[in-house]
Amino acid sequence: MPLCRVPPARVSEYERSAEWAALSPVFEADWQRRPRNTNVLYADGHWVVVRFAVLARYFGYVQGYLYLLLPLQHVLASRELTLHALLTLVGATHCYSPIGLELGFYKHRKAVVSDVLLRAIRRYPHARARLLHLSTSDAFCDNVCLRLLFIMFGQSFEFDALLIVWDLLLPALCAGDHEPLIDMASELLAHYVRTSERRNDANEDADAIWGVRSKPMGSETAAELVARCISARTHAC
């Protein structure tokens, strides 16, 4: 695997720049919100993020990248390998990121979120009315993209459970196949609908849904959702 190396002088120069002064607080805020049960040290995360920002000048550091970095560093246990992997992974998920609209992915995002919704309705027809109600809420598309797809469910599962989900998603996504990611989003959306109380107002209903999401799920639920994704894909073939 070819590794990405950045000369130390270039890193030092960038860390003194006005650009990093603007981006650094975003990383710091993400770090404070990170899952606690990882073996990733601040020094490792900072090392990777600064070099990522140097190499990926068209992205810099965007809120949420830390949720992609943490599982990679946790498993790879190497700053250099994590940097290389993060560059690959961000290239796959940036269309769902906060800057995805600026990059021209408006139609793509709308199509993907519609697909997420339709798959959930097709698999769980009894939840159709609630799902359609939810889809009329403000920023429904942005919520699905930012809270689920972009960070690959990094806030939805406890860390050990997230690794189970990533075992399904990562090989496909790095090969350009977003189908497992979309499948998992549809299963997760349907799960949130089944486990939260419906509100009459669509925006209040959305708050209830994303409130459920704020309570990370464990390995048993992760394994169940992964099994459902695999089963759905098997029956679709």
Side-chain angles (χ1 to χ4, degrees):
M1 177 185 292
L3 298 182
C4 307
R5 304 190 185 281
V6 185
R10 190 175 172 194
V11 173
S12 297
E13 181 181 19
Y14 184 75
E15 287 186 302
R16 296 192 299 269
S17 70
E19 181 179 302
W20 180 244
L23 296 177
S24 179
V26 182
F27 167 69
E28 298 293 340
D30 271 358
W31 185 260
Q32 294 304 315
R33 292 189 293 264
R34 76 194 185 283
R36 299 298 175 178
N37 56 333
T38 79
N39 61 0
V40 180
L41 301 177
Y42 174 86
D44 293 328
H46 184 272
W47 188 97
V48 173
V49 162
V50 171
R51 284 155 182 79
F52 176 90
V54 170
L55 292 170
R57 301 312 311 279
Y58 37 89
F59 294 144
Y61 182 84
V62 174
Q63 183 180 357
Y65 280 171
L66 185 65
Y67 291 101
L68 302 178
L69 182 156
L70 289 175
L72 297 173
Q73 176 67 23
H74 182 91
V75 172
L76 296 172
S78 161
R79 293 173 169 182
E80 291 82 3
L81 290 176
T82 299
L83 175 58
H84 179 88
L86 185 63
L87 286 163
T88 300
L89 192 54
V90 166
T93 65
H94 70 276
C95 55
Y96 310 117
S97 77
I99 60 173
L101 295 179
E102 299 172 29
L103 297 172
F105 286 102
Y106 175 78
K107 290 184 178 179
H108 175 73
R109 286 157 66 108
K110 294 286 285 186
V112 168
V113 171
S114 294
D115 198 2
V116 169
L117 180 65
L118 290 174
R119 292 185 195 197
I121 290 172
R122 186 168 61 247
R123 294 173 192 172
Y124 305 97
H126 60 282
R128 174 187 175 89
R130 175 85 185 277
L131 287 163
L132 290 175
H133 177 66
L134 179 65
S135 70
T136 65
S137 61
D138 296 340
F140 175 71
C141 181
D142 284 343
N143 279 324
V144 172
C145 285
L146 299 178
R147 296 172 184 260
L148 301 182
L149 299 171
F150 166 52
I151 60 173
M152 294 176 62
F153 318 107
Q155 294 177 328
S156 301
F157 296 95
E158 295 172 359
F159 197 74
D160 290 344
L162 181 65
L163 297 180
I164 296 172
V165 174
W166 274 42
D167 276 344
L168 172 71
L169 304 180
L170 195 59
L173 195 59
C174 288
D177 180 6
H178 290 227
E179 288 295 307
L181 184 71
I182 296 170
D183 273 336
M184 179 56 68
S186 68
E187 289 290 344
L188 206 50
L189 190 62
H191 178 81
Y192 291 153
V193 164
R194 297 195 304 272
T195 55
S196 64
E197 182 180 350
R198 175 171 175 165
R199 312 293 173 84
N200 290 330
D201 180 81
N203 290 323
E204 291 180 2
D205 202 28
D207 289 341
I209 290 290
W210 304 121
V212 171
R213 182 203 56 84
S214 69
K215 302 171 184 177
M217 295 174 288
S219 297
E220 184 176 342
T221 303
E224 177 187 342
L225 294 177
V226 166
R228 290 183 178 181
C229 288
I230 294 172
S231 175
R233 297 209 72 181
T234 301
H235 287 100
C237 295

